[in-house]
Amino acid sequence: MVTADDVRRIALSLPHAQEKPAWGMPTFRLEARGRIFASLDDEDRVLGVKCPKEDRAGLIAAEPDKFFLREGHDDHYAWLRVRLAALDDEAELRAVLEDSWRQAAPARLRDAHPELGPRQGR
């Protein structure tokens, strides 16, 4: 089972990533004042990540025990929640975090790190 420590380790291994608390929870950003690409909440059991609005319904329908929206909060944002306990393994966690990083990163940063691949949906 993946843990908050795994999230922290992988998120902070991504280029220009920094951890900064906000709203009483850890967030992972592109540089100190940059865009948030992930957050931990619900006592470090849930990961919030960037996700195109048009992809969310399909992900939730395919794996409702893994993916969900926080109603009233995520409705208007390109954001998705992931239950850490439902992830298959650390490789899946890495894929989710890298995808979220790509979506938050400006083109210049993505271009500087082609090893992370082009921006895409899950």
Side-chain angles (χ1 to χ4, degrees):
M1 180 173 124
V2 299
T3 67
D5 289 337
D6 297 324
V7 170
R8 191 168 274 109
R9 179 176 44 79
I10 293 169
L12 293 174
S13 74
L14 297 171
H16 296 269
Q18 294 185 7
E19 182 175 348
K20 182 178 179 183
W23 310 288
M25 67 182 129
T27 64
F28 301 92
R29 301 167 180 257
L30 299 171
E31 301 162 347
R33 296 182 62 182
R35 299 173 186 166
I36 296 173
F37 68 91
S39 66
L40 282 166
D41 60 358
D42 291 344
E43 299 177 1
D44 293 345
R45 295 177 300 183
V46 173
L47 174 66
V49 292
K50 302 271 303 164
C51 181
K53 287 182 185 180
E54 61 272 11
D55 294 347
R56 298 184 310 183
L59 289 166
I60 292 167
E63 297 184 87
D65 292 336
K66 188 178 294 185
F67 301 112
F68 69 101
L69 296 179
R70 177 143 303 139
E71 290 185 36
H73 185 271
D74 299 331
D75 302 339
H76 304 291
Y77 301 98
W79 205 249
L80 181 71
R81 305 296 165 150
V82 183
R83 291 177 183 91
L84 293 181
L87 289 171
D88 295 333
D89 53 27
E90 196 174 296
E92 184 178 27
L93 172 62
R94 178 172 292 283
V96 167
L97 285 168
E98 286 179 356
D99 187 54
S100 187
W101 181 93
R102 281 190 297 274
Q103 291 177 62
R108 67 170 171 74
L109 190 52
R110 285 192 315 270
D111 292 347
H113 296 280
E115 73 278 9
L116 293 174
R119 182 175 176 168
Q120 61 192 27
R122 278 189 231 343

